[in-house]
Amino acid sequence: MKIFEMMEKEGHEQLVFNHDKTSGLKALIAIHDTTLGPALGGCRMWPYETEEEAIRDVLRLSKGMTYKSGASGCDYGGGKSLIWGDPKKDKSEAMFRAFGRYVDCFKGRFSTGTDVGTTFHDFIIARKETPHVGALPEEYGGGGNSSIITAFGTWKGIKAAASEAFGTDSLEGKTVSVQGLGKVGYYLVKHLIEEGAKVVGTDIVQDHIDKVVADFPQVTIVKPEEIYSQECDIFSPNALGAIINDDTIPQLKCKAIAGAANNQLAEPRHGDIIREKGIVYAPDYVVNAGGLIQVVDEMEPGGYNKGRAYRKAATIYDMLIQIFDISRRDNVPTHIAADKLVEERIATIGIIKRTKK
Ligand SMILES: NC(=O)c1ccc[n+]([C@@H]2O[C@H](COP(=O)([O-])OP(=O)(O)OC[C@H]3O[C@@H](n4cnc5c(N)ncnc54)[C@H](O)[C@@H]3O)[C@@H](O)[C@H]2O)c1
């Protein structure tokens, strides 16, 4: 494995190995690009089989964060941290304090928070050693449950997709099929119903379905495998990744896709195929940026401000409108247009920063 070659190819700035003998901490911190601002990215804890697998993952995820931060309009770059271990049995106070001290060495050049395998409890501990952690509960100055703002941003994303597909962003009378009625799905359904949309929903957990139906009895529930073929205007994936694939695309009857689930396209070519079918795709990492916007707001001087965070999350709509314009301008699918938007932003802001020096 040639680490420098990999970093050069993908444009990474830094990869730092952190080890603490007392707690057994083995952590990697990757910084991809800091042109727009300090790097931001969650901390994943996972029992990787090999060191190589962990390095590849942290480099890949940190690059993804450059695009996610850039598309959210925030002045942050991309980074990621990773603790090599089993989140079920390897965690300790000492481990997260040691991790916090390593994060602190970056002096704000990198900030982190929860991801797969870590929870806010871990970062309440790390916070004792560094201020550069976010995604904290309200009583610790954070924004609390990020699913609520993610659902708000997703609703704005659905409206932007509707505007592109139907020439109006009103969802009144439109049918939206929602896959996944979990933490984000529940609050998304609330926004949709309040706007007068017809909602078709599905989940694999009966308790999650029951909660939605109890509060919004007008929602029609279908079996999980039936969600793709629903007669609807918009399909909103809020459960799993890779659900836009060779099996599901022929079933789709929608005119737009917009949802919070990460990595919805099984492969990039599926973005081209849905475009050819005339379906507007709102890129997932733009639609689901609400949680990231909340974490960024926690880092503002004076701390988290809910009104400001929601105003910022509402601009997910404007970002998507720009992406649809680039898609038309350059005749490319929207997932490519989203990457272009970020790359153009990095190029122009990079020049402005040089001019000011
Ligand atoms: N919560 C956030 O702030 C946030 C931020 C960015 C992205 N996301 C992404 O949004 C998606 C939803 O996040 P969440 O926090 O609501 O997670 P969640 O686990 O609370 O909800 C996911 C729901 O999908 C259901 N589900 C799983 N497999 C399914 C299937 N085959 N068919 C139908 N339903 C199925 C689950 O039972 C669950 O109710 C995830 O992909 C997540 O990565 C979430």
Side-chain angles (χ1 to χ4, degrees):
M1 170 183 216
K2 295 186 172 159
I3 297 176
F4 277 117
E5 255 178 38
M6 282 165 65
M7 291 175 73
E8 193 181 348
K9 182 164 168 262
E10 303 294 339
H12 289 84
E13 295 177 10
Q14 258 182 306
L15 175 64
V16 178
F17 290 73
N18 308 275
H19 177 240
D20 177 63
K21 203 173 159 186
T22 316
S23 62
L25 174 78
K26 290 191 185 88
L28 294 170
I29 298 175
I31 296 188
H32 176 253
D33 189 292
T34 56
T35 310
L36 295 176
L40 185 74
C43 173
R44 184 163 290 198
M45 184 163 181
W46 198 251
Y48 291 93
E49 294 274 318
T50 63
E51 206 167 274
E52 180 170 340
E53 204 188 320
I55 292 168
R56 283 189 192 281
D57 215 25
V58 78
L59 291 175
R60 177 182 68 83
L61 292 166
S62 64
K63 184 175 180 188
M65 283 307 298
T66 295
Y67 286 86
K68 196 164 177 166
S69 301
S72 73
C74 297
D75 289 339
Y76 277 85
K80 198 83 185 182
S81 53
L82 186 155
I83 297 178
W84 190 6
D86 185 339
K88 292 197 191 83
K89 54 184 174 66
D90 295 337
K91 285 184 183 180
S92 66
E93 181 193 355
M95 173 177 278
F96 279 90
R97 290 188 77 148
F99 177 68
R101 292 183 82 83
Y102 285 125
V103 170
D104 204 55
C105 296
F106 285 87
K107 298 189 186 322
R109 186 174 144 74
F110 172 68
S111 299
T112 194
T114 53
D115 196 81
V116 176
T118 56
T119 71
F120 67 80
H121 299 290
D122 303 323
F123 290 97
I124 291 171
I125 295 171
R127 179 81 175 72
K128 292 180 178 174
E129 306 294 340
T130 179
H132 304 297
V133 293
L136 294 171
E138 284 162 67
E139 60 272 30
Y140 286 86
N145 180 358
S146 67
S147 319
I148 304 174
I149 193 166
T150 300
F152 172 80
T154 303
W155 169 55
K156 293 288 176 187
I158 291 176
K159 287 177 74 65
S163 141
E164 179 69 8
F166 307 110
T168 165
D169 68 10
S170 169
L171 300 177
E172 199 177 349
K174 291 272 186 300
T175 302
V176 184
S177 56
V178 179
Q179 180 184 48
L181 303 171
K183 294 189 289 293
V184 174
Y186 174 87
Y187 290 103
L188 174 62
V189 167
K190 187 169 189 289
H191 285 295
L192 296 172
I193 294 289
E194 281 170 1
E195 203 188 327
K198 294 180 199 140
V199 176
V200 179
T202 193
D203 204 289
I204 52 168
V205 175
Q206 192 58 40
D207 283 356
H208 297 181
I209 294 174
D210 292 347
K211 187 166 184 266
V212 165
V213 172
D215 293 347
F216 313 105
Q218 56 276 66
V219 173
T220 306
I221 299 296
V222 297
K223 290 188 184 134
E225 62 277 15
E226 291 170 357
I227 198 72
Y228 303 107
S229 57
Q230 288 305 304
E231 291 286 351
C232 65
D233 297 297
I234 299 154
F235 170 48
S236 181
N238 298 281
L240 312 161
I243 39 73
I244 303 174
N245 56 43
D246 292 333
D247 289 337
T248 59
I249 291 174
Q251 301 177 48
L252 295 174
K253 299 195 177 80
C254 59
K255 284 270 171 262
I257 301 174
N262 279 312
N263 306 318
Q264 291 168 26
L265 300 174
E267 295 169 44
R269 68 183 174 87
H270 294 114
D272 301 62
I273 300 173
I274 49 175
R275 179 168 186 247
E276 280 155 24
K277 279 193 76 162
I279 298 174
V280 173
Y281 170 62
D284 45 21
Y285 71 78
V286 186
V287 173
N288 69 23
L292 175 128
I293 289 168
Q294 178 166 298
V295 172
V296 165
D297 200 85
E298 289 178 24
M299 316 271 176
E300 290 288 334
Y304 182 64
N305 179 302
K306 189 175 174 182
R308 186 176 59 201
Y310 274 77
R311 275 194 298 283
K312 184 84 188 144
T315 65
I316 287 173
Y317 182 103
D318 309 288
M319 282 292 173
L320 286 166
I321 298 295
Q322 282 186 56
I323 288 165
F324 298 140
D325 286 346
I326 294 173
S327 164
R328 252 179 275 109
R329 181 194 76 189
D330 296 353
N331 196 23
V332 291
T334 51
H335 68 286
I336 304 282
D339 290 355
K340 278 184 170 240
L341 175 98
V342 177
E343 285 156 11
E344 284 174 14
R345 203 174 158 229
I346 289 174
T348 52
I349 303 300
I351 291 167
I352 285 164
K353 284 191 173 179
R354 274 204 300 274
T355 316
K356 255 181 74 185
K357 269 182 192 163

